[in-house]
Amino acid sequence: MQIPDEHVGIRLEDMLLITETGYENLSAFVPIEIADIEKVMAEPGLSDAMWKAGK
C-alpha cells in the first residue's frame, strides 16, 4: 500500500498457521483498504480504556 502524497509505503503480510492438513490465515479479518483501516483506527481501543481508568 502506498500513500504517495505523504511519501509513505506500508507492507501488509498475512499471519499463517501451517497445519498437517493445510494452513489457516490468522490475519484474514484485518482490514487492508485505507478507508477500512481509518474506520477501525477511529474506534475506541485498549489505550482509550486505560487512559479513562487513569493509567
Side-chain angles (χ1 to χ4, degrees):
M1 176 185 323
Q2 300 246 345
I3 307 172
D5 295 342
E6 298 182 28
H7 303 287
V8 173
I10 300 170
R11 181 176 172 157
L12 302 173
E13 297 183 358
D14 285 327
M15 177 70 72
L16 301 178
L17 172 64
I18 307 299
T19 67
E20 291 182 13
T21 58
Y23 68 92
E24 182 179 348
N25 184 348
L26 300 175
S27 57
F29 68 94
V30 176
I32 59 172
E33 298 297 326
I34 293 173
D36 296 331
I37 293 169
E38 289 176 343
K39 182 179 176 184
V40 169
M41 290 177 64
E43 295 175 2
L46 181 59
S47 62
D48 297 316
M50 292 183 74
W51 185 81
K52 287 181 182 179
K55 187 94 177 149

